[in-house]
PDB file of all heavy atoms in Angstrom:
ATOM      1  N   PRO H  10      47.366   3.038 -51.981  1.00 95.00           N
ATOM      2  CA  PRO H  10      48.075   2.945 -53.257  1.00 95.00           C
ATOM      3  C   PRO H  10      49.111   4.079 -53.356  1.00 95.00           C
ATOM      4  O   PRO H  10      48.965   5.111 -52.713  1.00 95.00           O
ATOM      5  CB  PRO H  10      46.985   3.107 -54.293  1.00 95.00           C
ATOM      6  CG  PRO H  10      45.944   3.959 -53.628  1.00 95.00           C
ATOM      7  CD  PRO H  10      45.991   3.591 -52.162  1.00 95.00           C
ATOM      8  N   PRO H  11      50.129   3.852 -54.162  1.00 96.00           N
ATOM      9  CA  PRO H  11      51.125   4.904 -54.321  1.00 96.00           C
ATOM     10  C   PRO H  11      50.572   6.048 -55.176  1.00 96.00           C
ATOM     11  O   PRO H  11      49.628   5.847 -55.955  1.00 96.00           O
ATOM     12  CB  PRO H  11      52.270   4.195 -55.052  1.00 96.00           C
ATOM     13  CG  PRO H  11      51.582   3.134 -55.845  1.00 96.00           C
ATOM     14  CD  PRO H  11      50.414   2.680 -54.974  1.00 96.00           C
ATOM     15  N   VAL H  12      51.163   7.214 -55.041  1.00 97.00           N
ATOM     16  CA  VAL H  12      50.788   8.333 -55.902  1.00 97.00           C
ATOM     17  C   VAL H  12      51.660   8.225 -57.147  1.00 97.00           C
ATOM     18  O   VAL H  12      52.881   8.143 -57.058  1.00 97.00           O
ATOM     19  CB  VAL H  12      51.012   9.689 -55.183  1.00 97.00           C
ATOM     20  CG1 VAL H  12      50.539  10.833 -56.064  1.00 97.00           C
ATOM     21  CG2 VAL H  12      50.301   9.691 -53.829  1.00 97.00           C
ATOM     22  N   THR H  13      50.994   8.190 -58.286  1.00 97.00           N
ATOM     23  CA  THR H  13      51.706   7.945 -59.556  1.00 97.00           C
ATOM     24  C   THR H  13      51.444   9.038 -60.564  1.00 97.00           C
ATOM     25  O   THR H  13      50.458   9.776 -60.444  1.00 97.00           O
ATOM     26  CB  THR H  13      51.310   6.588 -60.163  1.00 97.00           C
ATOM     27  OG1 THR H  13      49.929   6.618 -60.539  1.00 97.00           O
ATOM     28  CG2 THR H  13      51.577   5.463 -59.213  1.00 97.00           C
ATOM     29  N   VAL H  14      52.304   9.098 -61.535  1.00 98.00           N
ATOM     30  CA  VAL H  14      52.168  10.053 -62.645  1.00 98.00           C
ATOM     31  C   VAL H  14      52.744   9.352 -63.872  1.00 98.00           C
ATOM     32  O   VAL H  14      53.586   8.477 -63.778  1.00 98.00           O
ATOM     33  CB  VAL H  14      52.935  11.353 -62.304  1.00 98.00           C
ATOM     34  CG1 VAL H  14      54.416  11.136 -62.233  1.00 98.00           C
ATOM     35  CG2 VAL H  14      52.582  12.476 -63.258  1.00 98.00           C
ATOM     36  N   GLY H  15      52.264   9.778 -65.037  1.00 98.00           N
ATOM     37  CA  GLY H  15      52.806   9.232 -66.287  1.00 98.00           C
ATOM     38  C   GLY H  15      54.066   9.970 -66.706  1.00 98.00           C
ATOM     39  O   GLY H  15      54.277  11.126 -66.313  1.00 98.00           O
ATOM     40  N   PRO H  16      54.905   9.352 -67.509  1.00 98.00           N
ATOM     41  CA  PRO H  16      56.162   9.994 -67.918  1.00 98.00           C
ATOM     42  C   PRO H  16      55.981  11.233 -68.787  1.00 98.00           C
ATOM     43  O   PRO H  16      56.856  12.069 -68.848  1.00 98.00           O
ATOM     44  CB  PRO H  16      56.926   8.885 -68.671  1.00 98.00           C
ATOM     45  CG  PRO H  16      55.861   7.915 -69.063  1.00 98.00           C
ATOM     46  CD  PRO H  16      54.775   8.002 -68.046  1.00 98.00           C
ATOM     47  N   ARG H  17      54.827  11.343 -69.416  1.00 98.00           N
ATOM     48  CA  ARG H  17      54.586  12.512 -70.263  1.00 98.00           C
ATOM     49  C   ARG H  17      53.888  13.678 -69.528  1.00 98.00           C
ATOM     50  O   ARG H  17      53.717  14.743 -70.102  1.00 98.00           O
ATOM     51  CB  ARG H  17      53.742  12.104 -71.483  1.00 98.00           C
ATOM     52  CG  ARG H  17      54.530  11.231 -72.456  1.00 98.00           C
ATOM     53  CD  ARG H  17      53.808  10.984 -73.772  1.00 98.00           C
ATOM     54  NE  ARG H  17      53.196   9.703 -74.053  1.00 98.00           N
ATOM     55  CZ  ARG H  17      53.592   8.488 -73.711  1.00 98.00           C
ATOM     56  NH1 ARG H  17      54.637   8.333 -72.993  1.00 98.00           N
ATOM     57  NH2 ARG H  17      52.960   7.418 -74.092  1.00 98.00           N
ATOM     58  N   ALA H  18      53.544  13.450 -68.264  1.00 98.00           N
ATOM     59  CA  ALA H  18      52.963  14.541 -67.488  1.00 98.00           C
ATOM     60  C   ALA H  18      53.975  15.664 -67.338  1.00 98.00           C
ATOM     61  O   ALA H  18      55.171  15.429 -67.284  1.00 98.00           O
ATOM     62  CB  ALA H  18      52.553  14.015 -66.112  1.00 98.00           C
ATOM     63  N   CYS H  19      53.488  16.897 -67.337  1.00 97.00           N
ATOM     64  CA  CYS H  19      54.423  18.029 -67.214  1.00 97.00           C
ATOM     65  C   CYS H  19      54.860  18.254 -65.765  1.00 97.00           C
ATOM     66  O   CYS H  19      54.232  17.770 -64.839  1.00 97.00           O
ATOM     67  CB  CYS H  19      53.769  19.292 -67.793  1.00 97.00           C
ATOM     68  SG  CYS H  19      52.393  19.921 -66.826  1.00 97.00           S
ATOM     69  N   LEU H  20      55.944  18.961 -65.610  1.00 97.00           N
ATOM     70  CA  LEU H  20      56.499  19.233 -64.283  1.00 97.00           C
ATOM     71  C   LEU H  20      55.513  19.982 -63.406  1.00 97.00           C
ATOM     72  O   LEU H  20      55.437  19.710 -62.190  1.00 97.00           O
ATOM     73  CB  LEU H  20      57.805  20.029 -64.409  1.00 97.00           C
ATOM     74  CG  LEU H  20      58.957  19.377 -65.198  1.00 97.00           C
ATOM     75  CD1 LEU H  20      60.204  20.247 -65.140  1.00 97.00           C
ATOM     76  CD2 LEU H  20      59.229  17.982 -64.699  1.00 97.00           C
ATOM     77  N   ALA H  21      54.761  20.882 -63.986  1.00 96.00           N
ATOM     78  CA  ALA H  21      53.769  21.639 -63.188  1.00 96.00           C
ATOM     79  C   ALA H  21      52.701  20.695 -62.640  1.00 96.00           C
ATOM     80  O   ALA H  21      52.309  20.821 -61.468  1.00 96.00           O
ATOM     81  CB  ALA H  21      53.114  22.715 -64.057  1.00 96.00           C
ATOM     82  N   GLU H  22      52.259  19.751 -63.433  1.00 97.00           N
ATOM     83  CA  GLU H  22      51.273  18.782 -62.970  1.00 97.00           C
ATOM     84  C   GLU H  22      51.838  17.889 -61.870  1.00 97.00           C
ATOM     85  O   GLU H  22      51.193  17.622 -60.856  1.00 97.00           O
ATOM     86  CB  GLU H  22      50.802  17.916 -64.131  1.00 97.00           C
ATOM     87  CG  GLU H  22      49.748  16.883 -63.737  1.00 97.00           C
ATOM     88  CD  GLU H  22      49.350  15.979 -64.891  1.00 97.00           C
ATOM     89  OE1 GLU H  22      49.593  16.322 -66.064  1.00 97.00           O
ATOM     90  OE2 GLU H  22      48.777  14.901 -64.601  1.00 97.00           O
ATOM     91  N   ALA H  23      53.074  17.456 -62.014  1.00 97.00           N
ATOM     92  CA  ALA H  23      53.721  16.630 -61.013  1.00 97.00           C
ATOM     93  C   ALA H  23      53.875  17.398 -59.697  1.00 97.00           C
ATOM     94  O   ALA H  23      53.608  16.866 -58.609  1.00 97.00           O
ATOM     95  CB  ALA H  23      55.102  16.161 -61.508  1.00 97.00           C
ATOM     96  N   THR H  24      54.256  18.655 -59.780  1.00 97.00           N
ATOM     97  CA  THR H  24      54.385  19.495 -58.584  1.00 97.00           C
ATOM     98  C   THR H  24      53.060  19.670 -57.893  1.00 97.00           C
ATOM     99  O   THR H  24      52.962  19.534 -56.669  1.00 97.00           O
ATOM    100  CB  THR H  24      54.975  20.879 -58.987  1.00 97.00           C
ATOM    101  OG1 THR H  24      56.240  20.682 -59.632  1.00 97.00           O
ATOM    102  CG2 THR H  24      55.148  21.768 -57.761  1.00 97.00           C
ATOM    103  N   ARG H  25      52.016  19.926 -58.645  1.00 97.00           N
ATOM    104  CA  ARG H  25      50.671  20.086 -58.076  1.00 97.00           C
ATOM    105  C   ARG H  25      50.209  18.780 -57.405  1.00 97.00           C
ATOM    106  O   ARG H  25      49.710  18.808 -56.298  1.00 97.00           O
ATOM    107  CB  ARG H  25      49.679  20.474 -59.188  1.00 97.00           C
ATOM    108  CG  ARG H  25      48.235  20.660 -58.692  1.00 97.00           C
ATOM    109  CD  ARG H  25      47.238  20.784 -59.843  1.00 97.00           C
ATOM    110  NE  ARG H  25      47.313  19.726 -60.828  1.00 97.00           N
ATOM    111  CZ  ARG H  25      46.869  18.472 -60.648  1.00 97.00           C
ATOM    112  NH1 ARG H  25      46.322  18.112 -59.513  1.00 97.00           N
ATOM    113  NH2 ARG H  25      46.965  17.580 -61.614  1.00 97.00           N
TER     114      ARG H  25
END
Side-chain angles (χ1 to χ4, degrees):
V12 184
T13 64
V14 67
R17 290 189 255 324
C19 69
L20 300 184
E22 180 183 342
T24 302
R25 180 190 53 75

